[in-house]
Structures are given as C-alpha cells and as structure tokens.
Amino acid sequence: MNIALHDITVRKGQTTVVENLCLTFPQGEWTAIVGKNGVGKSTVLEVIKGLTTPVMGHIETPPNIGYMFQQVDQQFFEPTVEKELTFTLRYLKTKEAIVQQRLQEMMNLFQLEPSLLEQSPYHLSGGQKKRIALATVLMGEPDVLLLDEPTAGLDATQKEQLLNILKSWQQQGKTIICITHELEDVLQYADNVFVMGNGTAQFLPVEEAFFMRPTVLTDAQLLLPPVVRCFHDISKRLEKPLQTSTKPQQLLAIIAEGVKEYGSRATIRE
Amino acid sequence: MLSSNQFTYRHVGTSGVSNISFTVQPGECVVVIGENGSGKSTLLQAIAGLLPAQQGQITWNGEAVSPQKIGIVFQHPDHQFITTSVLDEMVFGLENLKVERSEMEGRVREALALVNMEWTLHAHPQQLSGGEKQRIAIAAILAMQPEVLLLDEVTAMLDPQAREQIYQIIKQLKKQQKTIIYTTHLTEEYAFADRCLLLEKGELRQDITLEELAMTETTALPFSLQLQRACGAPLRNISWEEYIESL
C-alpha cells in the first residue's frame, strides 16, 4: 500500500517543523527527500515510523516499516554482529530454521565474511557498520524502508554497493524513502524526489525535477550536480532541448555530443 | 620539502601503511585517494607526526615531522574541540605553542576572517552547525600557522552547501601557496590537487597528476575530466565551464 500523509502538522517545542503536509509516497517506488539542513526532512521519516506524533492530521502506512538511522551506532545494542542481525526475528519467536535462512540470505546479499558474525558491531569500519545496520533492518523483511543519509561517509565503491542492494530490494516491489544530500545519487537511483524548502514542499518525478524544472531544486537552495548544470548550459548554448537520461554514462555521452556540436559551431563562427 | 622514505606503520592486525615513499614540494596541493581502509588516514596522521615510524621516516625540510610544523584537521571536528568557546578553542593551541599574548588576537582574527566566521568568537563550538564547526576546526589549526596543512576527509559529513564553503577556503589557501595534503572520497574534490597519491591496501600504487589519472580507465574523476575524456579532448585539470569556454 501507499504511504499517505493527510494534513500533517508537527511542532517541536514552540517551532512548527512541518505544517499541513499532504503527500503520498507510492508503493514500490524510491522517493528521495532533499532539502537544506533544518527544513524537517528527518521529521517526515519520524512521523511515518511513528516516532513523532503530529499535532494535527493522520497517516496511513503499511504495518511493517524498517528504519535505518543516520548514526548507525544508535541502532546497535548487541555484543556481536550475529546477535544484532537476528535480534528482531528471535524476539518475535521466529523458527530458528527461518532465522538461519534469512541470516544466510543477508550474508550473501551483503557479501559478509562468516568471521564478521562474532565481532562487535561497534568495532567495525564505517562502511561495514552501515552494511550491518541495513542488513539488520532487512532481516525483518519490511514493506517500507526509511533511510536517513545511508551513504554519508562511505567511499565510492561502498556507496555504489549499498545503493545497488537497495535498488535490487526495491525491485521486489518494496518502497524506499531516503533522505540524502547527494543529488547525483538521487538522479541515478530514485524514481521521485520530494523537495523541502523553508515552508515549501514539492513532490515530482526525478527526470522532471532535474531536467524540466530544475528551479524546484535551486529555489530550495540546493546545488545541482555538475553533470546537470553542464546539461542545461549546453542545451542553452545550442538553443535546443537535449535528450535526457538518469544513467550517468548515457547522460555523459549525450552532453559530450552536445559539447562537440557546440565546439564545431564555434569553429564555423570563427 | 616533505619527504616520506619507505615509511611503514602497521596497526595491530593488518591495517596501516607499508613502504610509502614520495615527496611534496612547498606550495603543492596533493590529494591522497583510495578505498576505506586503504591507509589514507594513517598516512595523514603519520605526516602530522602523530604515529611513530616502524620503518623508514617522514621529514619536513630534513627534520622529523612534528605537530608544531604540521597541522591536521579531522573528519569529525567534535574530536578536536575541548573548550567551551570558539575564542578559547583558538587560543588553546596558541598557548601550547607559547605564542605571545600580544600576537594571539591578530592570529585569531586573521584565521577566523579567512574562514568567514568572525561572528562566532564567543559562541560555544557545539552550538554551531556541522559546516561551521569544520570551518572553526580549520581556523584553529590555521591560527597556529602550520607550514603544512593536512585535511582528513573534512567534508565527508557535510551537506553540499557547507562543502562549498570549505572549497572556498581551500582555494584561498592555494592562492597563498600553502602546502596542503588532503584525503577525500568525493571525486569533484580531486580537482584542487596538483597530484594524486593512490593507496591500495596500505601501499602507494600511483603518484600521478590528475590528467594522468584521467588517462586510466577509472570513472572516479571530477566531472570536467570525464567530459573532456568523453569528448576526446586533450585532458586539462580545469573546470567544465572553462573547458566549454575554451572551445
């Protein structure tokens, strides 16, 4: 089912963080929440998860929602990775055979070495912690996954690996709602983008946001990635719309063709 | 000149760096790249004089490196703060260096002006945003007037707007011919560097210019170099705007 927020208002102390928010996150799609710090992005996730109660409005969600914290250390409390991964299923008195099967699936999906299972989650590297935190959430087979900046601090390889795992998981019909500052990742992986500004909010498909209406992003004081800025620059110089793509290498090839055309026109002008 | 000669430091277990040899000339800006766990932070801490050599040595102008000459800023500025006001934070390092009190005010004001944070002088460091904290952490090190500045993934936890402010500081320091060695995962940030040191599993695999890096098959490059390569153009470490204007 979709996640629907109806006229949600949230106050923290005297401050209204979110006001009269009406929004639907479609089932099976990846929606990125973007905006500057302090505009209420995390509050939206907290409302969906039920960690923050709105003062007004109501919300419809599926029952099984997974939440990966930004600071994954806040999520760990078991002495070993194995206990951390299996905690929820064992707490729910799931049959041990199923627990072991799910554990094996996660170890395959995240390419975890068996020796990792006996280590303390607190003693892992930043990238390993993120993978264990996500695997722990996925062990519970949630219908919806809420993620708060899951790739912050990861290197390029680890980031790509994590995002590809999320993409393959989404392709099983699951819903992802992900806060991020990395607009290049939004362009490549997300289906929709929810742009939050000070008192403004817009929900639109990714291609529309980046290529047709980039002012929605820039008005929220977000910096477009260089590849998108260059796309618009070349399109303007050539005075024609260019083909669009959310695939990085295809988009680069489209821009490169545009640049070559502009270069040859410049030579003729001379 | 900074010189690393067969430097080795292994942590307990397997991580660390081995047999690292390279030089950095005064005024050069060098980026150390590699995956998490490749030894980037270990190398920077060693250059800062924070880790003793198990083999080989690192020297600055022929002398063993020391924190008096070489300043390091970390990924998490909270690890660096120990006082309750920006002023105290800035003064603390200067007191340790036995800088005359008459000289302190000028140094503090100059460093805060460079990072555009003069207004925070009496603020509590913990009340500042992540980007502001990082700029104060840089200013506190700059006030100590190090001869080499090391930046260890200082933008990793910042949003793009806060990163942009750090970039302005780096550009300013480059204009001042400061010797800078930094680490990053963000390919756009490679562009500040004159040279890249590529680490793999604790060993130095390549010591090359950005243009030479772009001639390899890697896609981990600043967008401008990716674009120039896709266009079949001669590779130059310039912005994409400069490249298009040059056509």
Side-chain angles (χ1 to χ4, degrees), chain B residues 107-122:
Chain B
R107 284 209 197 185
V108 168
R109 291 202 182 280
E110 196 181 325
L112 284 177
L114 196 137
V115 300
N116 205 12
M117 293 287 283
E118 298 101 314
W119 57 276
T120 60
L121 198 60
H122 300 289

Side-chain angles (χ1 to χ4, degrees), chain A residues 51 82 110 126 153 164 174 187 213 230 253:
Chain A
L51 299 174
E82 194 265 350
F110 287 87
N164 285 334
K174 312 280 189 168
L187 177 63
R213 297 172 58 200
C230 185

Side-chain angles (χ1 to χ4, degrees), chain A residues 106-126:
Chain A
M106 287 303 130
M107 289 179 67
N108 294 341
L109 184 62
F110 287 87
Q111 296 170 17
L112 304 176
E113 295 288 331
S115 61
L116 205 67
L117 291 179
E118 294 312 311
Q119 292 186 32
S120 162
Y122 292 103
H123 293 163
L124 304 177
S125 71

Side-chain angles (χ1 to χ4, degrees), chain A residues 232-248:
Chain A
H232 289 293
D233 181 89
I234 283 297
S235 177
K236 196 173 161 191
R237 284 170 191 265
L238 294 173
E239 297 174 332
K240 68 173 189 184
L242 299 176
Q243 192 190 337
T244 63
S245 173
T246 58
K247 295 191 169 65

